[in-house]
Amino acid sequence: MPNRSHLTEFAGLPVVEFTGWDALRDDFGLAMYWARNRREPHTEHPKNYERLFEAIADPGSAAWRLRMETPSYGTGSNGPIDTLGQYLGRFAEIVAPAEVTALIVGYMGGDYEAMPPDEVRDRLLDIAPKLTALRSLFFGEIRQQENEISWIEHGDLSPLLAAFPDLAEFTVRGGSAGLGLALGEHRALRSLTVQSGALRPEVVRDVCASPLPGLERLELWPGSKEYGGESTPEDLAPVLSGEAFPRLRHLGLRNAEELDDWIPALAGAPVLSSLDTLDLSLGTLTDEGARALLGAPAFRGLKRLDLHHHYMSEETAARVRAEFAGAGVEVDVSDPREPDVDEYGGETHVHRYSAVSE
């Protein structure tokens, strides 16, 4: 699933992680302690840093991941520990910032009491004037092992878009509670993705109200109502009407636990006639939602329909595959799921979960 592993490619470029002093010390420290204690060299450490050196020599050849981990040992006695500001400052000093076109901001270690969510944003804003070639930004690429998606907190991220007026692609993961995306006019942005375990209605409405005249791809993850993901088709109405983003060609409503409820609204949405692709993957589509898809001719004007990770029966999935393929629509009905069924209180309870949830 999207938050189970790190990206290996972003914006069409291979990902290279900028290694901080703490991680370097840990790599070499582990190798040395292994050799001392086991009387043999470690077979895997230190890591091969050849690709890092190649990317430093040609910064535009890679998508750079910024990521800090809390050191595993040696705090204080083995040398200074990087602060966030020091780490980002060193990145801007060593990697020619004016040549960086793609940037991923990942896990930054510690807890949020020691590192408030806004601090990561603010320290990135400190070096923003040097990142003059930046076109693609992923803010919050944090794996499930590092932090659950609904626990990833962000504040107001609109200053990031303002700081990078030439940004074409922006992705954010997390921010169930405090995320702010009331964006000012941004004429360069072509792709906006908000990955969430619970997307609040006000965030959806703010995105819809943002003046993004060039937007071609919009992907939102409604998530779970249990964690506050109570957005509805009414919140997305300006997009569904086709008025918010006239150049939109790709719409994603992914990771939705109430996906069946969205299908009727999509079926009658004017925006559907201008879309090339509709991505409803990672959600909880059932036979009921599938019947609504099959009964609406408007969906057959798409070039591609992504439904992978669903709860359709085998027979219904086969019918969806056959009928849409027959209409010339590329359709993905892979990764069928089975609901969890519990018996308690004398009643049967059926549970269906989106792909990225707790």
Side-chain angles (χ1 to χ4, degrees), residues 69 144 169 308:
E69 291 190 49
Q144 185 180 39
E169 177 181 7
H308 85 268

Side-chain angles (χ1 to χ4, degrees), residues 14-357:
V15 175
V16 172
E17 187 167 309
F18 182 72
T19 309
W21 293 141
D22 299 335
L24 285 169
R25 185 184 65 246
D26 281 1
D27 274 350
F28 282 89
L30 176 59
M32 288 186 287
Y33 278 107
W34 180 287
R36 185 194 69 183
N37 295 334
R38 302 207 178 191
R39 303 296 179 181
E40 62 183 13
H42 197 287
T43 56
E44 298 180 5
H45 288 271
K47 296 174 183 175
N48 186 341
Y49 289 101
E50 182 178 355
R51 183 67 188 99
L52 174 62
F53 298 141
E54 291 174 349
I56 290 173
D58 184 9
S61 69
W64 288 92
R65 177 184 291 115
L66 303 178
R67 177 173 171 269
M68 292 177 65
E69 291 190 49
T70 303
S72 59
Y73 62 87
T75 302
S77 61
N78 288 333
I81 304 302
D82 270 343
T83 66
L84 177 61
Q86 290 169 336
Y87 171 72
L88 293 180
R90 191 173 296 114
F91 170 77
E93 176 186 358
I94 294 177
V95 180
E99 298 178 39
V100 173
T101 61
L103 191 64
I104 298 169
V105 179
Y107 180 70
M108 287 300 178
D111 57 52
Y112 284 122
E113 290 183 359
M115 187 179 296
D118 290 347
E119 184 178 346
V120 180
R121 177 203 63 195
D122 292 346
R123 298 292 75 76
L124 182 58
L125 288 173
D126 288 342
I127 65 172
K130 300 178 181 180
L131 296 165
T132 54
L134 192 67
R135 299 295 179 268
S136 300
L137 174 62
F138 190 143
F139 193 83
E141 194 237 6
I142 297 172
R143 296 180 303 160
Q144 185 180 39
Q145 297 93 322
E146 296 165 332
N147 210 354
E148 294 284 2
I149 190 169
S150 65
W151 301 350
I152 302 170
E153 295 298 340
H154 300 304
D156 180 12
L157 297 187
S158 58
L160 284 179
L161 276 295
F164 298 110
D166 295 322
L167 199 68
E169 177 181 7
F170 181 64
T171 298
V172 57
R173 177 181 295 166
S176 300
L179 177 64
L181 281 175
L183 308 178
E185 184 176 23
H186 198 294
R187 307 192 68 83
L189 198 67
R190 296 293 180 266
S191 177
L192 174 62
T193 299
V194 186
Q195 299 180 356
S196 177
L199 195 56
R200 293 179 293 113
E202 51 267 41
V203 177
V204 176
R205 292 193 292 267
D206 283 345
V207 167
C208 292
S210 297
L212 307 172
L215 198 69
E216 299 171 358
R217 295 176 57 88
L218 175 64
E219 180 180 311
L220 304 174
W221 292 23
S224 169
K225 287 185 178 180
E226 182 179 353
Y227 290 94
E230 298 179 346
S231 52
T232 66
E234 287 72 24
D235 300 311
L236 198 64
V239 172
L240 299 182
S241 71
E243 297 175 0
F245 309 122
R247 295 183 60 180
L248 198 68
R249 296 296 176 266
H250 172 97
L251 177 61
L253 292 170
R254 310 181 73 200
N255 201 54
E257 284 197 356
E258 304 290 339
L259 183 54
D260 286 357
D261 295 343
W262 288 83
I263 305 301
L266 288 167
V271 73
L272 205 58
S273 63
S274 62
L275 294 180
D276 293 329
T277 59
L278 178 63
D279 189 345
L280 304 177
S281 64
L282 308 183
T284 60
L285 183 70
T286 70
D287 285 2
E288 179 182 352
R291 284 191 290 270
L293 279 170
L294 290 166
F299 291 109
R300 302 183 190 220
L302 296 166
K303 293 181 180 178
R304 189 170 194 277
L305 177 62
D306 193 340
L307 305 174
H308 85 268
H309 187 286
H310 60 82
Y311 289 83
M312 291 184 287
S313 66
E314 185 176 346
E315 295 77 14
T316 299
R319 183 184 169 197
V320 168
R321 183 189 301 109
E323 293 201 18
F324 277 100
V329 181
E330 180 187 348
V331 62
D332 185 349
V333 292
S334 62
D335 195 17
R337 318 297 293 185
E338 292 291 335
D340 291 342
V341 179
D342 296 327
E343 299 281 350
Y344 58 88
E347 297 180 354
T348 300
H349 300 266
V350 179
H351 307 280
R352 299 181 181 90
Y353 303 98
S354 59
V356 182
S357 58

